[in-house]
Amino acid sequence: SVLSPLLWLVLRKKMEDNLKTFVAADIKKIQEEKRNPAYFEKDIACSFNSFKIHGQIDRIDISTDKKTFTVIDYKSGKISGKTERVVFEGANFQGPLYFELAQNLSDLQGVQADKMYYASLKDSSFKEISYEDYLSFKDKFWSIVDYLRGLIEEGLFVITPSKTACQYCLYGDICRKNHSASAKRAFFSAQANKLREFRKI
């Protein structure tokens, strides 16, 4: 239809404008904080506590004096709220995980973790989590990660549907989120209740 190409042109123009605004804001922030982008899409794996973690960090910047590093995680949507709410209630676990991964990069040995940003491509905002912030809730964070790992090892997956998460899920064809009885049982299950307790602030 004629509408589809026209709609794409409108959306593409909006995305281009958002990216231009974001890049300008990002460059300004880099200059103000005296950082240099050093790594892009960096793939890192390491052992932490009793299990292995693996991830691809969007960007790592190093301060111009080469004493500290900053981790940047790009987000397509808006990121707002207090630090712990962003991590726990919003289930944005990448930041804390990336702190640990980045510190295992051989090139960063001797370079101190400083902060991480959830950088929104939508509204050019930068939600900061300092390394000190992370340390303040580190134990709680790894407790929930360990709990989730245990569920996975047992083959238990709690149905927690949301418009944001479901669109990226690879298991939509086998998930029973649309079956009301299954979704209800999952919502009131012991596993889901414990998960909600973990995510409370």
Side-chain angles (χ1 to χ4, degrees):
S1 69
V2 177
L3 181 60
S4 295
L6 180 61
L7 181 60
W8 164 240
L9 287 174
V10 173
L11 291 173
R12 188 178 72 177
K13 178 64 168 60
K14 185 176 181 180
M15 287 189 290
E16 288 175 349
D17 290 343
N18 284 347
L19 282 174
K20 287 177 182 177
T21 302
F22 172 80
V23 169
D26 193 22
I27 291 174
K28 181 181 179 182
K29 200 163 191 64
I30 289 172
Q31 293 173 338
E32 290 175 347
E33 298 185 0
K34 298 180 180 179
R35 295 185 271 114
N36 291 318
Y39 302 96
F40 298 89
E41 299 293 330
K42 188 65 178 178
D43 195 78
I44 310 174
C46 71
S47 294
F48 187 81
N49 288 352
S50 60
F51 54 95
K52 293 181 179 180
I53 55 175
H54 171 262
Q56 191 172 67
I57 303 175
D58 289 338
R59 197 175 92 211
I60 302 173
D61 294 354
I62 299 178
S63 61
T64 53
D65 62 8
K66 298 183 180 180
K67 291 183 178 180
T68 62
F69 71 83
T70 298
V71 171
I72 291 85
D73 182 37
Y74 299 125
K75 293 294 184 184
S76 58
K78 295 181 179 180
I79 299 291
S80 60
K82 294 182 179 180
T83 299
E84 289 188 66
R85 289 189 182 281
V86 169
V87 174
F88 292 104
E89 292 184 357
N92 289 293
F93 292 171
Q94 296 98 322
L97 288 171
Y98 289 168
F99 267 142
E100 297 294 346
L101 285 170
Q103 290 183 95
N104 281 270
L105 186 63
S106 59
D107 292 351
L108 292 181
Q109 297 306 302
V111 183
Q112 177 62 44
D114 183 24
K115 67 187 75 167
M116 73 84 55
Y117 285 113
Y118 290 115
S120 171
L121 301 176
K122 187 170 186 176
D123 64 358
S124 300
S125 63
F126 297 84
K127 179 61 184 177
E128 176 184 327
I129 297 178
S130 71
Y131 191 63
E132 288 72 22
D133 287 337
Y134 164 57
L135 291 179
S136 71
F137 59 76
K138 180 178 179 178
D139 290 344
K140 178 180 178 180
F141 175 78
W142 285 101
S143 291
I144 190 172
V145 171
D146 197 46
Y147 176 65
L148 290 171
R149 182 192 64 163
L151 291 181
I152 293 169
E153 288 176 345
E154 294 176 34
L156 298 174
F157 297 88
V158 180
I159 301 173
T160 54
S162 73
K163 290 181 180 179
T164 303
C166 290
Q167 64 180 321
Y168 299 109
C169 183
L170 301 176
Y171 306 100
D173 292 336
I174 61 174
C175 177
R176 302 192 72 194
K177 67 180 184 297
N178 294 322
H179 183 256
S180 59
S182 296
K184 186 176 181 179
R185 282 195 299 271
F187 183 83
F188 290 106
S189 68
Q191 293 83 5
N193 286 332
K194 187 169 182 179
L195 191 58
R196 281 191 288 272
E197 284 298 316
F198 265 122
R199 291 174 63 177
K200 281 184 179 179
I201 303 303

